[in-house]
């Protein structure tokens, strides 16, 4: 699924109008029928409805929805805000249709003064003030209205976007002047801001409504941001030859675990073994030997000279992929060993956890990373690498895109919708995963999965994409089995086989 910008959405609407062809007012009617149907599925006609419509096409949608709900027996009170005396053409047509409706008894067109209605917990507010076309924070009377709606106990359903929330960059938005929706009924597809953590409080539950916009435009128009479908992922799976042996299925090296952090090495190694690789070697401090041998008997142990930390780079020529960082610690000798390892590695490499923290403390080393390096930071780790994103998730994502382009890296910015930032500037959001995976060790598991896929022979972008998807899918299956509250990182590994099976079989 392509994530279009606000400008592209406007172009898509116009392209549909011109090439279907369909009149714009009829396209609005089509959208409004979808919106009305979605509202009726959630609230029956015993629910009093208050509609707030703005002067643009979002307001036109809201007016049409008001009319359709009234025709279905809903008690509807409508407020159209026409402060400047300028309505969009389609909004003006729907104003007249509301006036002509015998079902709507309470319609107010606000031009100067506004006496807000009392909103109680039995009511539904339909927010149709502003949609995806807004490009600056709300102010004045509209800001006051938003605050009034937000402090009320009424349920709120927003049309396309919660009013005041912009489709992409909300870095400098006024958060108090954004509708807090209980449900957002967004048209055609999710917008970029819907994937960003600091916008979630405004969205409530998001439902995407298909209003049959031009597929031709969608197919031919490039989008910087995409969300893969299951079929996109499935077709990337490499077949497993019936005559395969461990030597032909990839040889992975995991460098992980300081003394007291052997659990990180265990999780990364187990995940690597569960992800199809033929052989896994673990390089870890000597004091981890016994626990690693007992916990992961399938892995080959390679012990560091030091007792408690990673102290020297190792020969990686015989390996097909390297994963480095989980539980590694940040000793100065470890830092020197890390950059030495990254300079000499010839195969694909995944850099995570303490390896990222070391790089954050030695930012000049970033330029020495191998081309195609895969980095898997969570937001705080990324902020240490690039500086704190004081303006929120959009700024952080933008910085990750810039860094990926500048050093030729694949950066997975982890979160509910993990974002894979590609060297060409594109971003792929992962659709799987859940809040139960917000637990220690979950990132170590992801490192192990991606390292295995690289060793198996997947291209870096495919290994990242498939690794994110499988990681999240295993977490989703685990959550269904054990619940989100009790989920631990080991459960993700436990359900990896079912995730592979689910993806293979569809």
């Amino acid at each position: 699924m392509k994530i279009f910008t606000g400008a592209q959405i406007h172009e898509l609407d116009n392209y549909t109008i011109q090439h279907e062809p369909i009149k714009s007012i009829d396209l609005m009617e089509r959208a409004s029928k979808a919106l009305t149907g979605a509202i009726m599925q959630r609230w029956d006609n015993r629910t009093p409805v208050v509609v707030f419509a703005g002067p643009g096409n979002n307001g036109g949608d809201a007016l049409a929805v008001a009319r359709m709900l009234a025709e279905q027996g809903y008690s509807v009170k409508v407020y159209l805000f026409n402060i400047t005396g300028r309505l969009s053409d389609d909004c003006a047509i729907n104003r007249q249709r509301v006036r002509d409706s015998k079902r709507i008894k309470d319609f107010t067109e606000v031009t100067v003064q506004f006496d807000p209605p009392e909103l109680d917990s039995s009511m539904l507010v339909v927010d149709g003030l502003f949609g995806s076309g807004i490009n600056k924070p709300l102010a004045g009377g509209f800001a006051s209205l938003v605050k009034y709606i937000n402090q009320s106990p009424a349920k709120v359903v927003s049309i396309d976007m919660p009013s005041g929330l912009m489709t992409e960059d909300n870095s400098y938005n006024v958060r108090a002047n954004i509708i807090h929706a209980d449900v957002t009924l967004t048209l055609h597809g999710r917008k970029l801001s819907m994937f960003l953590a600091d916008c979630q409080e405004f969205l409530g539950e998001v439902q995407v409504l298909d209003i049959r916009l031009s597929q031709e435009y969608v197919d031919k128009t490039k989008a910087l941001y995409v969300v893969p479908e299951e079929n996109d992922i499935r077709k990337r799976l490499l077949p497993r030859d019936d005559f395969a042996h461990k030597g032909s299925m990839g040889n992975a090296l995991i460098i992980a675990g300081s003394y007291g952090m052997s659990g990180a090495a265990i999780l990364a190694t187990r995940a690597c073994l569960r992800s199809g690789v033929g052989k896994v070697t673990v390089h870890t401090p000597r004091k981890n030997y016994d626990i690693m041998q007992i916990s992961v008997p399938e892995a080959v142990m390679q012990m560091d000279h030091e007792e408690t930390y990673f102290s020297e780079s190792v020969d990686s020529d015989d390996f097909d992929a390297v994963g480095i960082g989980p539980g590694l610690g940040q000793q100065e000798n470890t830092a020197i060993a890390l950059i030495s390892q990254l300079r000499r590695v010839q195969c694909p490499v995944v850099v995570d956890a303490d390896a990222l923290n070391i790089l954050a403390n030695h930012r000049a080393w970033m330029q020495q990373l191998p081309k195609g390096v895969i980095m898997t930071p969570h937001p705080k780790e990324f902020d240490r690498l690039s500086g704190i994103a004081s303006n929120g998730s959009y700024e952080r994502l933008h910085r990750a895109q810039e860094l990926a382009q500048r050093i030729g890296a694949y950066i997975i910015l982890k979160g509910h919708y993990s974002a894979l930032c590609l060297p060409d500037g594109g971003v792929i959001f992962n659709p799987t995963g859940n809040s139960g995976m917000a637990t220690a060790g979950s990132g170590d598991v992801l490192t192990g999965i991606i390292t295995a896929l690289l060793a198996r022979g997947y291209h870096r972008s495919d290994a990242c994409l498939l690794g994110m998807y499988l990681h999240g899918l295993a977490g989703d299956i685990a959550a269904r089995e054990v619940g989100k509250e009790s989920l631990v990182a080991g459960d993700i590994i436990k359900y990896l086989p079912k995730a592979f099976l689910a993806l293979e079989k569809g």
Side-chain angles (χ1 to χ4, degrees):
M1 181 186 78
K2 295 177 180 179
I3 304 169
F4 288 137
T5 64
Q8 287 175 315
I9 293 165
H10 183 66
E11 291 173 3
L12 173 57
D13 285 343
N14 289 336
Y15 192 94
T16 303
I17 290 165
Q18 294 168 15
H19 291 81
E20 185 168 333
I22 184 174
K23 293 179 180 178
S24 61
I25 188 63
D26 293 332
L27 181 59
M28 182 174 285
E29 195 78 356
R30 180 194 294 175
S32 300
K33 285 179 181 178
L35 290 161
T36 302
I39 291 171
M40 291 175 62
Q41 286 178 353
R42 295 169 182 269
W43 293 277
D44 63 31
N45 62 9
R46 292 170 296 181
T47 306
V49 178
V50 179
V51 176
F52 293 113
N57 282 349
N58 194 255
D61 289 332
L63 293 174
V65 167
R67 169 171 45 85
M68 293 176 187
L69 287 174
E71 289 169 356
Q72 297 300 318
Y74 288 76
S75 173
V76 182
K77 185 178 290 188
V78 184
Y79 294 87
L80 170 62
F81 291 85
N82 187 13
I83 309 300
T84 63
R86 294 191 301 273
L87 301 179
S88 72
D89 291 342
D90 292 339
C91 185
I93 291 172
N94 271 305
R95 174 183 61 179
Q96 190 59 47
R97 289 178 178 179
V98 166
R99 285 173 171 170
D100 294 341
S101 173
K102 296 179 180 179
R103 298 276 186 161
I104 295 179
K105 308 297 184 185
D106 196 339
F107 170 70
T108 302
E109 183 169 354
V110 180
T111 56
V112 182
Q113 297 295 325
F114 172 54
D115 185 18
E118 184 176 344
L119 302 176
D120 63 43
S121 59
S122 70
M123 294 178 174
L124 173 67
V125 169
V126 176
D127 161 35
L129 294 171
F130 298 97
S132 58
I134 192 171
N135 57 14
K136 61 182 179 181
L138 296 185
F142 284 116
S144 297
L145 176 57
V146 165
K147 290 172 182 174
Y148 178 75
I149 294 170
N150 284 343
Q151 61 84 36
S152 80
K155 294 292 185 183
V156 180
V157 58
S158 288
I159 293 176
D160 203 26
M161 294 286 290
S163 291
L165 186 67
M166 300 177 210
T167 54
E168 291 104 40
D169 185 3
N170 287 276
S171 301
Y172 300 99
N173 208 339
V174 180
R175 301 178 72 82
N177 299 348
I178 302 172
I179 285 285
H180 282 253
D182 294 286
V183 177
T184 299
L185 301 175
T186 195
L187 303 175
H188 175 69
R190 289 175 182 256
K191 285 65 177 176
L192 176 60
S193 59
M194 294 179 174
F195 292 89
L196 303 180
D198 52 10
C199 295
Q200 299 310 304
E201 64 177 289
F202 307 109
L203 298 168
E205 180 187 345
V206 177
Q207 181 179 350
V208 178
L209 301 180
D210 180 9
I211 58 171
R212 307 194 307 279
L213 297 179
S214 173
Q215 190 60 44
E216 181 182 12
Y217 179 94
V218 172
D219 291 340
K220 75 177 187 179
T221 304
K222 185 176 180 180
L224 190 61
Y225 305 97
V226 298
V227 181
E229 306 285 347
E230 184 178 299
N231 284 336
D232 298 326
I233 304 293
R234 185 179 297 111
K235 68 185 181 183
R236 297 169 191 266
L237 285 170
L238 294 179
R240 198 174 185 91
D241 194 304
D242 288 342
F243 289 87
H245 54 84
K246 67 179 181 181
S248 64
M249 296 306 292
N251 188 12
L253 173 64
I254 299 289
I255 302 174
S258 55
Y259 183 59
M261 293 293 289
S262 58
I266 292 167
L267 289 168
T269 305
R270 282 181 174 170
C272 194
L273 286 161
R274 279 293 189 189
S275 300
V277 71
K279 183 180 176 183
V280 180
T281 298
V282 187
H283 184 92
T284 195
R286 289 185 176 277
K287 279 198 172 183
N288 288 342
Y289 178 80
D290 288 344
I291 191 170
M292 293 296 298
Q293 283 284 53
I294 294 168
S295 301
V296 198
E298 300 92 342
V300 177
M301 294 297 113
Q302 185 186 89
M303 312 317 297
D304 197 276
H305 289 307
E306 283 292 334
E307 292 284 313
T308 60
Y309 62 90
F310 172 54
S311 67
E312 59 184 351
S313 62
V314 297
D315 185 1
S316 58
D317 290 348
D318 293 333
F319 296 98
D320 300 301
V322 174
I324 186 167
L328 203 64
Q330 299 181 53
Q331 294 259 5
E332 191 56 35
N333 285 351
T334 298
I336 295 168
L338 169 69
I339 191 59
S340 175
Q341 188 71 61
L342 294 175
R343 284 189 191 123
R344 71 186 293 184
V345 70
Q346 297 299 310
C347 59
V349 59
V350 183
V351 180
D352 183 37
D354 278 332
L356 294 171
N357 292 327
I358 289 170
L359 290 173
N361 291 326
H362 302 81
R363 291 191 190 179
W365 291 356
M366 296 283 285
Q367 301 304 319
Q368 301 179 47
L369 296 178
K371 289 293 182 184
V373 63
I374 296 168
M375 306 167 77
T376 59
H378 58 58
K380 285 189 177 180
E381 287 170 341
F382 185 77
D383 285 351
R384 294 184 198 116
L385 280 172
S386 70
I388 294 174
S390 57
N391 291 315
S393 298
Y394 182 86
E395 180 187 349
R396 184 179 294 112
L397 177 63
H398 187 62
R399 287 188 182 189
Q401 289 175 263
E402 288 183 334
L403 180 60
Q405 289 179 281
R406 187 169 72 250
I407 67 174
Y410 296 82
I411 299 176
I412 298 176
L413 192 56
K414 293 184 289 195
H416 180 66
Y417 293 108
S418 290
L420 170 59
C421 300
L422 302 168
D424 65 2
V427 177
I428 303 173
F429 286 100
N430 181 51
T432 60
N434 62 82
S435 59
M437 298 171 70
T439 183
S442 181
D444 304 328
V445 173
L446 178 62
T447 295
I449 295 171
I450 297 174
T451 304
L453 296 173
L454 291 168
R456 277 273 281 115
Y458 285 89
H459 184 273
R460 288 173 175 84
S461 59
D462 287 347
C464 291
L465 182 53
L466 187 59
M468 288 193 306
Y469 192 92
L470 285 165
H471 181 253
L473 182 57
D476 289 340
I477 297 170
R480 290 198 293 269
E481 295 289 327
V482 303
K484 294 179 182 179
E485 293 297 335
S486 296
L487 198 154
V488 295
D491 295 325
I492 304 172
I493 301 170
K494 178 181 177 181
Y495 288 99
L496 261 176
K498 287 190 176 182
F500 272 101
L501 285 171
L503 189 55
E504 289 166 1
K505 294 179 179 179

